[in-house]
């Protein structure tokens, strides 16, 4: 989130008067609607291109849509296409994506078209990354550029916060996710005034982004798993074990991240790094199958539609392959985020636990697997809890998730994150 230097507020800090907050409503509404439309526009264009690349095109060529050959060809071709964008388009599609998290820097306007193009090609081509990080960066850049030009009286430091909140609200279809991310960010820095005064404008932007996405695209995150009901005696140890195993597995990828990134950086050129990443991703797709491609949100629905349709070994294979694909795609230079692929990994791990021990309820397995994986990959505690709970829509799992988050957090806190500084050292 945008950095501000403010004085630490005391618990008795007065609330801001309404007249101090009212001027922020219009900028927040404008940014919320615009950020949602950018997200929906890029996602829709990518989905249409994906349907062509993975449908009529292989059919016309007489190649199976999900064949190993076509997956390999498409992933390598996507690496070449994105490599050309990074190499030739002004701005080189932004900074190294391994150094970017949800708190995106303000990029110059000239960088944004290349970043949008690289993101759309990546989403359509099959690498295991989501749209969140680059779309947040695009919206932050647009909001800062247009906001300072047309509404110069609005504080310049507010635009990135509004854009991030709006995009997160649009991504999840609810402003709650944006409020949780912002609250977590504010907790780690000095803050003037009451929390809700500071949340007022970002929450407005997040709400507008969420409602715009809901009206335009109708997103749904409930996986349709059977509700869990009241927790049983064995549910608590199962939750603790699954969340902890997921966190440990995620941390394996986090620890490998700088080494894999360094290996690709030795190739020194995007036309070598990205196609090489495509080759590795093609080999992984051959091992894991077509469900381990793309950002993973649609593929999660296919997994949970029939939890009994795969063996524990198949779920375990998809878990490992998808996590490796996320690691490679994030390290070799593809522009994308890590939340949605991590959700797939946690879902597959939770269903693997259910397949191994049928007494583990599939909703419990999925929720705790997603919780532990997201804690390791994102280090966002509230968003991890929120996402895990929303996916299963089972009130009985909430208390178990809160308890299971405690040992998982102890395993990940204070350790390297899946994000690097510009010098290649991990962020802690």
């Amino acid at each position: 989130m945008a950095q501000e230097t403010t004085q630490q507020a005391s618990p008795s800090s007065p609330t801001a008067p309404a007249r101090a907050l009212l001027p922020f409503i219009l900028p927040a509404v404008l940014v919320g609607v615009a950020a949602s439309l950018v997200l929906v526009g890029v996602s829709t264009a990518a989905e249409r291109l994906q349907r062509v690349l993975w449908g009529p095109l292989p059919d016309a060529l007489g190649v199976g849509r999900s064949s190993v050959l076509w997956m390999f060809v498409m992933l390598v071709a996507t690496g070449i296409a994105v490599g050309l964008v990074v190499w030739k388009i002004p701005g080189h599609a932004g900074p190294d994506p391994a150094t970017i998290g949800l708190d995106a820097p303000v990029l110059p306007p000239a960088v944004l078209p290349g970043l949008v193009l690289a993101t759309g090609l990546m989403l359509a081509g099959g690498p295991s990354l989501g749209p969140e990080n680059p779309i947040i960066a695009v919206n932050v850049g647009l909001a800062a550029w247009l906001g300072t030009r047309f509404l110069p009286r609005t504080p310049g430091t507010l635009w990135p916060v509004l854009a991030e909140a709006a995009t997160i609200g649009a991504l999840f279809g609810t402003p709650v996710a944006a409020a949780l991310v912002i609250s977590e960010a504010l907790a780690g820095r000095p803050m003037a005034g009451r929390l809700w005064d500071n949340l007022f404008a970002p929450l407005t932007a997040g709400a507008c982004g969420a409602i715009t996405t809901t009206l335009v695209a109708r997103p749904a995150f409930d996986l349709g798993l059977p509700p869990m009901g009241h927790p049983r005696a064995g549910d608590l140890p199962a939750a603790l074990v699954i969340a902890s195993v997921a966190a440990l597995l995620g941390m394996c990828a986090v620890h490998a991240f700088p080494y894999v990134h360094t290996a690709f950086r030795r190739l020194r050129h995007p036309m070598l790094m990205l196609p090489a990443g495509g080759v590795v991703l093609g080999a992984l797709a051959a091992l894991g199958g077509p469900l381990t491609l793309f950002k993973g949100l649609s593929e999660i629905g296919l997994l949970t539609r029939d939890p009994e349709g795969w063996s524990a070994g198949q779920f375990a294979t998809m878990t490992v392959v998808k996590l490796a694909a996320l690691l490679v795609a994030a390290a070799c230079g593809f522009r994308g985020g890590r939340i949605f692929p991590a959700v797939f990994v946690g879902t597959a791990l939770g269903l693997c636990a259910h397949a191994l021990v049928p007494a583990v309820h599939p909703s419990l397995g999925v929720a705790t697997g997603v919780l532990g994986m997201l804690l390791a990959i994102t280090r966002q505690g509230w968003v991890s809890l929120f996402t895990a709970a929303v996916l299963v829509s089972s009130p009985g799992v909430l208390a178990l998730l809160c308890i299971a988050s405690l040992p998982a957090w102890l395993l990940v806190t204070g350790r390297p994150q899946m994000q690097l500084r510009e010098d290649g050292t991990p962020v802690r």
Side-chain angles (χ1 to χ4, degrees):
M1 296 292 171
Q3 299 290 331
E4 290 187 73
T5 303
T6 55
Q7 294 182 346
Q8 180 66 47
S10 67
S12 59
S13 296
T15 57
R19 64 177 180 275
L21 300 178
L22 286 174
F24 297 141
I25 293 179
L26 178 61
V29 171
L30 294 174
V31 171
V33 174
S36 173
L37 293 178
V38 169
L39 170 65
V40 172
V42 173
S43 299
T44 301
E47 288 169 4
R48 291 182 178 177
L49 179 58
Q50 176 185 330
R51 284 196 290 269
V52 173
L53 296 177
W54 296 86
L57 182 57
D59 290 345
L61 296 174
V63 182
R65 300 182 179 189
S66 300
S67 65
V68 171
L69 173 61
W70 189 248
M71 289 190 293
F72 190 86
V73 167
M74 278 306 308
L75 287 163
V76 175
T78 302
I80 293 171
V82 176
L84 283 170
V85 172
V86 176
W87 180 27
K88 290 295 187 180
I89 298 295
H92 307 291
D96 182 353
T99 65
I100 302 298
L102 293 179
D103 52 341
V106 179
L107 300 176
V111 175
L112 305 183
L115 181 56
V116 169
L117 181 57
T119 304
L121 291 171
M122 181 279 299
L123 291 172
S128 294
L129 293 173
E132 58 273 17
N133 289 13
I135 297 300
I136 288 175
V138 169
N139 283 332
V140 165
L142 286 174
W145 177 48
L146 296 174
T148 53
R149 291 187 66 186
F150 294 104
L151 292 172
R153 294 185 179 181
T154 302
T157 54
L158 183 64
W159 295 112
V161 178
L162 294 180
E164 290 170 19
T167 310
I168 293 170
L171 279 163
F172 288 95
T174 170
V176 176
L180 293 174
V181 171
I182 297 164
S183 299
E184 198 162 6
L186 290 175
R189 71 183 58 161
M191 179 178 61
R194 296 294 181 92
L195 175 63
W196 277 99
D197 290 335
N198 285 271
L199 285 178
F200 180 82
L203 189 58
T204 302
C208 292
I211 195 65
T212 302
T213 301
T214 301
L215 293 173
V216 174
R218 301 180 182 274
F221 290 93
D222 183 5
L223 298 178
L225 288 166
M228 200 182 81
H230 293 291
R232 299 166 297 178
D235 289 337
L236 179 57
L240 294 171
V241 170
I242 297 170
S244 298
V245 169
L248 287 172
L249 184 61
M251 287 306 300
C252 290
V254 171
H255 282 290
F257 187 56
Y259 300 102
V260 177
H261 180 265
T262 299
F264 280 108
R265 286 293 146 187
R266 286 176 179 166
L267 298 176
R268 296 182 179 276
H269 198 284
M271 286 304 294
L272 295 176
M273 293 185 294
L274 285 151
V279 170
V280 178
L281 292 174
L284 289 170
L287 292 174
L291 285 180
T292 59
L293 297 174
F294 306 106
K295 64 182 180 182
L297 196 58
S298 300
E299 290 72 22
I300 292 169
L302 296 175
L303 284 184
T304 56
R305 192 175 300 164
D306 183 16
E308 316 298 333
W310 288 270
S311 67
Q314 289 173 310
F315 281 128
T317 299
M318 285 188 280
T319 300
V320 174
V321 168
K322 186 69 172 182
L323 185 58
L326 165 60
L327 172 62
V328 171
C332 74
F334 283 110
R335 272 55 179 169
R338 297 144 206 168
I339 291 178
F340 292 117
V343 170
F344 180 98
V345 176
T347 299
L349 179 63
L351 293 176
C352 177
H354 168 68
L356 286 172
V357 184
V360 175
H361 196 282
S363 291
L364 178 66
V366 167
T368 51
V370 169
L371 171 66
M373 187 58 58
L374 284 179
L375 284 174
I377 298 298
T378 70
R379 218 55 57 85
Q380 296 276 347
W382 285 121
V383 169
S384 301
L385 277 168
F386 169 80
T387 305
V390 165
L391 288 174
V392 299
S393 293
S394 182
V397 81
L398 283 173
L400 294 172
L401 285 175
C402 291
I403 297 172
S405 69
L406 301 178
W409 184 254
L410 291 176
L411 291 171
V412 304
T413 187
R415 302 183 187 279
Q417 300 182 33
M418 200 176 222
Q419 184 178 341
L420 304 177
R421 298 184 180 90
E422 292 185 1
D423 61 2
T425 58
V427 175
R428 289 183 178 268

